[in-house]
Amino acid sequence: MSDMDSPMTPKEKELHKFIMIEKQKAQINAQIHGFNDICWEKCIGKPGKKLDRNTEACLKNCVDRFIDTSLLIAQRFTQMVQKRDAHNK
Amino acid sequence: MSMANVDKGELISQVKQQIAVANAQEMLTQMTQKCFKKCVNKPGTSLDSGEQKCISMCMDRFMDSWNLISRTYGQRLQRMQ
């Protein structure tokens, strides 16, 4: 890895950019695997010849509701921490 | 450490391949667990034709599910921009 103080060569810059992009892609992929893991359990009964409309709706809702849950918990957790910190002063 | 001697194209190609392999492995692991759970309820001395058919359909439904979730997530990310 190049010395952090010296500027990157064009080649290093390009490789760095490539790695950052692949890292982001990999994170998105990991998220999708995670959603599929959870939502399969919630929505899929016995595997048939195709996904019926109800199952598709369930899977779509599952992803959105999971993200909503995640946002709600992050928000509320911040409040919990702030309350606790204010109480402890 | 100098990167002067590194073949950039070679490195990029190798990294992409390793990532693809890792993704395929994750896919296979998940698929195997999910489909075993759905299709093989009373493990016998071999997989009967019913179980094999179920596993085959399950694999296809797993990919359908994965693709749908991938699209849904992409759409949500765009809405959140």
Side-chain angles (χ1 to χ4, degrees):
Chain A
M1 194 78 109
S2 69
D3 189 314
M4 281 302 175
D5 291 332
S6 58
M8 286 195 272
T9 65
K11 187 192 212 173
E12 284 170 344
K13 272 192 203 161
E14 189 176 336
L15 284 174
H16 187 255
K17 187 173 174 192
F18 163 71
I19 298 231
M20 288 293 111
I21 289 174
E22 289 304 315
K23 190 174 166 192
Q24 206 175 43
K25 281 199 227 167
Q27 280 172 338
I28 290 177
N29 236 25
Q31 272 282 40
I32 296 172
H33 278 302
F35 291 145
N36 202 31
D37 190 353
I38 292 168
C39 298
W40 176 275
E41 296 303 327
K42 294 247 179 236
C43 298
I44 306 283
K46 189 128 177 106
K49 295 211 173 95
K50 67 182 182 92
L51 297 179
D52 65 39
R53 218 155 291 182
N54 287 336
T55 308
E56 287 191 336
C58 180
L59 289 169
K60 283 191 215 170
N61 288 335
C62 177
V63 174
D64 279 318
R65 297 300 76 73
F66 186 90
I67 293 173
D68 290 343
T69 304
S70 187
L71 291 171
L72 179 63
I73 287 179
Q75 194 180 52
R76 194 143 188 286
F77 188 76
T78 307
Q79 291 169 357
M80 280 166 72
V81 169
Q82 285 174 343
K83 247 188 229 169
R84 187 200 65 192
D85 285 352
H87 180 77
N88 285 343
K89 283 207 162 82
Chain B
M1 180 172 106
S2 162
M3 297 235 100
N5 296 330
V6 171
D7 181 330
K8 186 181 62 183
E10 175 88 28
L11 182 62
I12 286 177
S13 167
Q14 280 186 15
V15 169
K16 279 194 173 170
Q17 196 178 51
Q18 284 177 359
I19 289 174
V21 167
N23 191 44
Q25 279 180 337
E26 177 67 20
M27 199 74 93
L28 276 175
T29 302
Q30 286 248 14
M31 203 185 265
T32 304
Q33 286 177 354
K34 297 301 186 203
C35 295
F36 184 83
K37 203 169 165 187
K38 288 282 181 199
C39 296
V40 184
N41 293 313
K42 282 192 141 122
T45 51
S46 70
L47 293 174
D48 66 38
S49 64
E51 287 165 334
Q52 288 185 35
K53 196 165 166 228
C54 176
I55 289 168
S56 180
M57 284 199 293
C58 176
M59 286 175 72
D60 290 337
R61 299 299 75 74
F62 184 90
M63 289 314 304
D64 290 342
S65 173
W66 205 94
N67 288 329
L68 179 59
I69 284 173
S70 178
R71 279 200 311 275
T72 306
Y73 185 45
Q75 286 163 359
R76 179 63 188 257
L77 285 178
Q78 282 190 332
R79 286 208 303 279
M80 282 164 76
Q81 291 277 316

